[in-house]
Structure formats: C-alpha cells, structure tokens
C-alpha cells in the first residue's frame, strides 16, 4: 500500500495562495527568466481577481524574483551565470555567519526541529512531491539559522535564499546526488549539535559549493549548446 502524499498547505489569504502558486511556478521554471507576468492571464488561470495576483507579484518583486517596471508590466528576472556567482557569494557570506552563530547557541529543541524537517524532506522526495521537498529543505536550513537568534540576519538572507532556489532547480543531479546531499545536511546538523562552529561552517561551505558547481555546470553546457565546458 502506497503512503499518502502530504496535504497541500493551507493559505490564510488569496494573496498568500497566489504568491505560493506563482512562486512555485517560477522556481520550477514554468515561468522562465524574461517571461511576462500578465495580471489578467494569471488571475484567470488561478481563478482569482487581479488584486491578490497583483499583491503576489509585489511580494515576489521584494524577494528579487520578479522585476516590475511602472506602466510597462512585470517580468521574471533572468537567470545568468554572473547572477548565480553573485548569489553564491552572498549565500556564503550570510549563511556561514548564521550557521557559526547557530552552532554556538544550538539547543535540543533546535536539533529536534531541524531533524523533523530533514525527515520530511526525505519523505517528500521519496513520494516525488517536489514542492513539499523544497519547502521542507528551506524549513530545515532556516530552522538551524534561526538558532543564531538574529532576526535581521534571517531577513537579509531571505531574498538571497529565494533567488538561490531558482538556481538550485536549474542545477544538474547526477546518480547518487540525493544521498550525497543528505549526508551533507546531516553533517551540518551534527556539527551544530556538537556546538562546533568551525565544523558547521566547513560542512555548510561544502554543501553550498557543491550546489553551486552543479548549477554552473548545467548553465555552462546550456550556454555552449550542450557541449561540455573546457
């Protein structure tokens, strides 16, 4: 007997629902970089009025995923190798700072929360529920970063993380990648549980570097018309 898929998230408002739907569509490439976001078309496809869709676009603009030009419209921001490198650099700066602070302050409650999200991520991947897996992955990382006890650090990290998620979806996944990524996640968590900031930083640095390499590999091949780089 197959396991039931996780229940879809419940959204408090139509704007929340519109944001979640549009956000997911951008992350998975349903709306590619440069795609126009037309209010009327989106409202019709979502079965909503234009007001919550307009609010969704505003929220995604604040995260840096959408560009809005007054009197001209809204577009999904392009994915570029230059922006991928910049996003990677900012992730390193912010997330390494967060994990070092978190490791020094990590509690049993923080560990339990992070483990629960990591287990949820694994289950969702096994079920093929990519949306739930992505959310659990985000929740896992931010559960650890929250232990840094800095709301400003988390607020600074949020748009960089969301932009990085677009590139993560654009990366390659070789055989065995899921197991390697799980080991990386477990290593980060173990270092935090051990209250070892240096080990936590090293494990997270490896994790981010490997993810970035997968992104650049695929983007370079695409730019070269499918030819391997070099």
């Amino acid at each position: 007997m197959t396991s039931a898929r996780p229940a879809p998230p419940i959204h408090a408002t139509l704007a929340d629902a519109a944001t979640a739907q549009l956000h997911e569509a951008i992350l998975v490439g349903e709306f590619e970089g440069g795609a126009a976001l037309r209010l009327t078309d989106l409202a019709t496809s979502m079965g909503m009025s234009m007001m919550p869709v307009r609010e969704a676009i505003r929220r995604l603009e604040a995260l840096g995923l959408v560009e809005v030009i007054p009197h001209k419209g809204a577009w999904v921001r392009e994915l570029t190798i230059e922006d991928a490198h910049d996003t990677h650099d900012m992730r390193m700066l912010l997330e390494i700072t967060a994990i070092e602070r978190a490791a020094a302050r990590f509690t049993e409650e923080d560990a339990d929360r992070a483990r629960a999200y990591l287990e949820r991520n694994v289950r969702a991947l096994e079920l093929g529920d990519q949306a739930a897996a992505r959310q659990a992955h985000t929740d896992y990382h931010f559960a650890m970063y929250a232990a840094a006890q800095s709301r400003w650090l988390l607020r600074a990290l949020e748009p960089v993380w969301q932009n990085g998620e677009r590139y993560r979806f654009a990366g390659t996944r070789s055989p065995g990648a899921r197991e390697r990524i799980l080991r990386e996640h477990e290593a980060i968590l173990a270092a935090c549980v051990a209250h070892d900031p240096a080990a936590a930083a090293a494990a997270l640095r490896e994790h981010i570097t490997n993810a970035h390499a997968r992104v650049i590999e695929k983007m370079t091949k695409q730019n070269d018309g499918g030819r391997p780089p070099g």
Side-chain angles (χ1 to χ4, degrees), residues 141-164:
H141 276 275
F142 276 81
M144 291 192 296
Y145 302 152
Q149 300 176 20
S150 171
R151 70 186 182 96
W152 290 109
L153 183 53
L154 292 183
R155 290 179 71 174
L157 176 55
E158 175 70 15
V160 178
W161 173 271
Q162 294 297 347
N163 197 54

Side-chain angles (χ1 to χ4, degrees), residues 32-160:
E32 296 183 345
L37 300 175
R38 298 182 175 85
L39 279 174
T40 303
D41 294 344
L42 290 172
T44 299
S45 66
M46 293 180 185
M48 302 177 183
S49 69
M50 287 194 290
M51 186 176 296
V53 178
R54 184 180 289 110
E55 172 62 17
I57 289 175
R58 186 195 66 77
R59 294 180 187 181
L60 295 176
E61 180 190 21
L63 290 176
L65 304 182
V66 170
E67 181 178 9
V68 177
I69 301 177
H71 311 299
K72 290 189 176 181
W75 291 266
V76 178
R77 286 191 178 275
E78 296 278 4
L79 294 178
T80 68
I81 288 180
E82 292 75 17
D83 185 58
H85 286 313
D86 191 24
T87 302
H88 167 261
D89 291 346
M90 290 304 99
R91 283 195 64 191
M92 282 291 196
L93 178 65
L94 294 170
E95 293 184 53
I96 296 301
T97 299
I99 206 67
E100 288 176 335
R101 290 185 54 156
R105 297 167 171 80
F106 223 62
T107 66
E108 290 185 11
E109 290 77 12
D110 294 323
D112 290 343
R113 191 176 301 112
R115 285 194 192 97
Y117 286 130
L118 189 54
E119 290 170 3
R120 189 177 302 174
N121 171 257
V122 171
R123 288 197 301 271
L125 288 172
E126 290 172 348
L127 292 169
D129 190 338
Q130 294 301 320
R134 177 187 62 77
Q135 186 59 56
H137 175 255
T138 296
D139 290 340
Y140 158 77
H141 276 275
F142 276 81
M144 291 192 296
Y145 302 152
Q149 300 176 20
S150 171
R151 70 186 182 96
W152 290 109
L153 183 53
L154 292 183
R155 290 179 71 174
L157 176 55
E158 175 70 15
V160 178

Side-chain angles (χ1 to χ4, degrees), residues 197-210:
L204 181 58
R205 189 175 290 110
E206 179 184 5
H207 179 58
I208 296 174
T209 298
N210 289 343

